[in-house]
Amino acid sequence: MNEENLSAGDILAWYVLAGVDETLGELPFGKEISEAGQPVVQVMQKPAEVVRPVGLSVQPLQESEEGRRPATTELAQATINACKNARELCQQAQSLDELKALVEGFEGCALKLTATRTVFGYGSPHPKLVLVGEAPGADEDRAGIPFVGRSGHLLDLILKAAGFDREKDCYITNVLPWRPPGNRTPTTAEVAVCLPFLRRQIELASPEAVILLGGSAANALLENEEPISRMRGKWLEYQTGDGRKIPAIATFHPAYLLRNAAQKAKIWSDFLRLRKKIS
């Protein structure tokens, strides 16, 4: 689609799909919309005060004169369809092995096209703990197993020191089963499509507690925007789709500790708190 043919509604739909939730003014920065609905270049002006829209919603766009829906709307609809398909697949899976096979055959997330392997969860099928990270890294993408690189080695040491065996007591997974190119931050749409698979893994594993490694994993699973500094150090609660409530604790991601060694004492205190609660 030619950018010059995009209407204001097309542009707004694309921004919402990409996760934009703030505006810098009533008009796009550096542009204004003419009466004919076409963008007109204007002199750069200082952005207005940031305003957060309340209850922003986008109405479905009308079909074009040619009877073809705009590309932005097609992309939004594809995401909606992929989320629905993921939820339907999860309902079919009655075991972690069945769910793994369904995820490996899933074609609704573009990340699969750039990843080397599907990195499904790994560990005990009946664990005491389910540990959740954000996404596979380069080492995990090559091995097909979560947390096998430097951060994984550090996590193993922490678990062992706290009295947990990775193979017997833990099931380790990520929000996304495929590595984002260049380890970039996942998009809102990518998280939405993959989240049903994570939720079903937790339901099937039925752990005594869930450990959320890093703010991104905690935000995705608990559906909030709290920084990790505010969430860690206290017990939270995760509710499964079938209504069960599982104790959850958020802590720093091991990769963060590799860059900020001074924070290791805090994650250690979190795991001691976990050890005290889980016999």
Side-chain angles (χ1 to χ4, degrees), residues 55-262:
L56 176 64
S57 63
V58 178
Q59 299 299 323
L61 300 180
Q62 299 297 321
E63 290 188 353
S64 64
E65 295 180 359
E66 294 79 7
R68 183 173 59 84
R69 295 177 65 83
T72 50
T73 305
E74 292 174 357
L75 181 57
Q77 188 61 50
T79 300
I80 293 171
N81 293 341
C83 290
K84 181 180 179 181
N85 187 20
R87 290 192 295 269
E88 292 174 348
L89 290 175
C90 288
Q91 294 175 358
Q92 299 176 20
Q94 300 303 312
S95 70
L96 289 170
D97 286 339
E98 289 181 9
L99 183 60
K100 180 180 180 181
L102 292 172
V103 172
E104 289 177 340
F106 183 68
E107 301 293 342
C109 183
L111 290 177
K112 185 177 181 180
L113 300 176
T114 57
T116 302
R117 295 189 181 184
T118 298
V119 184
F120 194 73
Y122 177 84
S124 171
H126 305 290
K128 293 181 178 180
L129 310 175
V130 166
L131 296 94
V132 182
E134 180 183 44
D139 292 322
E140 291 75 18
D141 186 51
R142 286 189 291 268
I145 300 174
F147 285 88
V148 295
R150 292 180 61 208
S151 61
H153 179 65
L154 177 57
L155 179 61
D156 290 347
L157 293 177
I158 295 172
L159 287 169
K160 184 176 181 180
F164 295 107
D165 184 283
R166 172 169 173 151
E167 300 292 332
K168 297 179 180 179
D169 299 325
C170 304
Y171 181 84
I172 304 177
T173 187
N174 287 295
V175 176
L176 302 181
W178 299 286
R179 180 197 182 200
N183 289 347
R184 64 162 172 76
T185 301
T187 66
T188 302
E190 290 164 351
V191 171
V193 170
C194 296
L195 197 55
F197 297 130
L198 171 62
R199 293 189 181 280
R200 187 57 176 156
Q201 285 179 80
I202 296 175
E203 290 177 2
L204 293 171
S206 189
E208 296 181 39
V210 175
I211 297 83
L212 303 167
L213 301 170
S216 297
N219 294 154
L221 202 58
L222 300 180
E223 298 182 344
N224 64 34
E225 297 181 359
E226 291 289 319
I228 187 64
S229 58
R230 292 184 183 178
M231 287 186 286
R232 66 150 301 275
K234 56 185 178 183
W235 281 104
L236 306 168
E237 188 175 79
Y238 170 70
Q239 184 167 324
T240 65
D242 55 10
R244 285 177 291 165
K245 295 181 179 180
I246 302 176
I249 191 168
T251 191
F252 295 124
H253 194 287
Y256 172 77
L257 299 179
L258 293 174
R259 305 188 302 269
N260 301 272

Side-chain angles (χ1 to χ4, degrees), residues 11-25 49-58 188 224-225:
I11 297 172
L12 180 58
W14 173 253
Y15 284 159
V16 172
L17 178 63
V20 175
D21 60 0
E22 292 183 353
T23 62
L24 297 176
E49 180 181 356
V50 173
V51 178
R52 181 181 294 274
V54 178
L56 176 64
S57 63
V58 178
T188 302
N224 64 34
E225 297 181 359

